Amino acid sequence: MIKKLQKRKIIALFPLFLCFAMAGEKIAVVTKIIGKAEYVREKKSPKNLKRGFVVENGDEILTKAGAFVALVFIDDRSALKIREKSEVIINGKKNVNRISKKIDLNNGTIRAQVKTNRNFLVQTSVSVASVKGTDFWVISNDKVGDSIIGLEGLVTLSNRISGEKIDIKPGITGVSSNDGSLQAFKS
């Protein structure tokens, strides 16, 4: 009799489990918002973003003029700060107790504060910045290119057009241009 009841409970919970399995993976939480910001999930229309919002894999965040959004990743407390007039897609893939993060910056400015030596990529139409435990700014302008400003640690900046790579250290700014060129200079 007890086994039959347990079996019924499992069968009753199975649709709930399937619903969870199909939902997007939760990867970050919005901790601060100033001004107007929106999110887009599953190519639906934009909705207002609020503090405490749980970011799922593939969510797009859009900030309006004067806006600012801060979020923290749930695995290692790495932070992403998104400035005004930015378009960012947050991607994350869970592997055991960590999340491999890939941030697609379509336009705008972000600051990434990466806490651990785990996969963290920022990708634009021109560049890829791969980091290992660091703090840096990315300023992306689809008409000109990208600037990476190193604050702590090391960032490897790659130009997607030419394939060239340079390392950006603290106090160095790297510029990756639409023509494929890479430059580095003291900030």
Side-chain angles (χ1 to χ4, degrees):
M1 181 76 158
I2 293 174
K3 286 186 179 183
K4 282 185 181 182
L5 286 174
Q6 288 175 338
K7 193 174 185 179
R8 284 186 191 155
K9 285 182 183 178
I10 291 171
I11 291 171
L13 291 174
F14 188 70
L16 182 62
F17 171 74
L18 278 179
C19 182
F20 261 143
M22 289 189 262
E25 289 199 64
K26 294 161 181 39
I27 57 175
V29 176
V30 174
T31 57
K32 185 174 185 175
I33 295 179
I34 297 172
K36 180 150 172 74
E38 299 174 323
Y39 74 96
V40 177
R41 182 172 284 163
E42 298 174 354
K43 307 277 187 220
K44 295 181 181 170
S45 59
K47 296 180 180 174
N48 287 334
L49 192 63
K50 296 185 188 311
R51 186 172 181 260
F53 176 78
V54 177
V55 178
E56 294 181 1
N57 178 45
D59 283 352
E60 182 175 12
I61 295 178
L62 311 164
T63 55
K64 305 297 181 183
F68 171 84
V69 172
L71 58 91
V72 174
F73 289 92
I74 60 175
D75 65 332
D76 63 2
R77 307 215 26 93
S78 290
L80 188 67
K81 297 176 180 178
I82 307 167
R83 306 266 313 189
E84 68 175 343
K85 300 180 186 175
S86 297
E87 299 173 21
V88 180
I89 299 174
I90 312 295
N91 296 293
K93 183 175 181 182
K94 286 186 181 178
N95 300 319
V96 188
N97 291 332
R98 62 181 137 178
I99 300 171
S100 296
K101 302 158 192 81
K102 185 178 101 168
I103 311 304
D104 291 319
L105 178 60
N106 296 328
N107 202 34
T109 303
I110 62 170
R111 180 178 180 182
Q113 295 171 298
V114 184
K115 299 287 185 188
T116 61
N117 290 332
R118 296 188 179 153
N119 291 339
F120 194 105
L121 291 174
V122 177
Q123 182 172 295
T124 71
S125 62
V126 177
S127 309
V128 176
S130 58
V131 300
K132 302 269 191 252
T134 194
D135 187 357
F136 67 103
W137 283 96
V138 179
I139 303 164
S140 179
N141 181 319
D142 54 1
K143 294 179 180 113
V144 183
D146 307 316
S147 296
I148 308 293
I149 303 166
L151 301 175
E152 287 181 20
L154 181 70
V155 179
T156 300
L157 175 61
S158 305
N159 186 288
R160 296 175 68 185
I161 296 163
S162 66
E164 287 186 59
K165 294 181 180 184
I166 57 173
D167 286 337
I168 307 299
K169 297 176 183 173
I172 302 294
T173 297
V175 178
S176 178
S177 300
N178 287 347
D179 64 6
S181 65
L182 277 178
Q183 299 175 25
F185 54 90
K186 287 194 174 194
S187 302

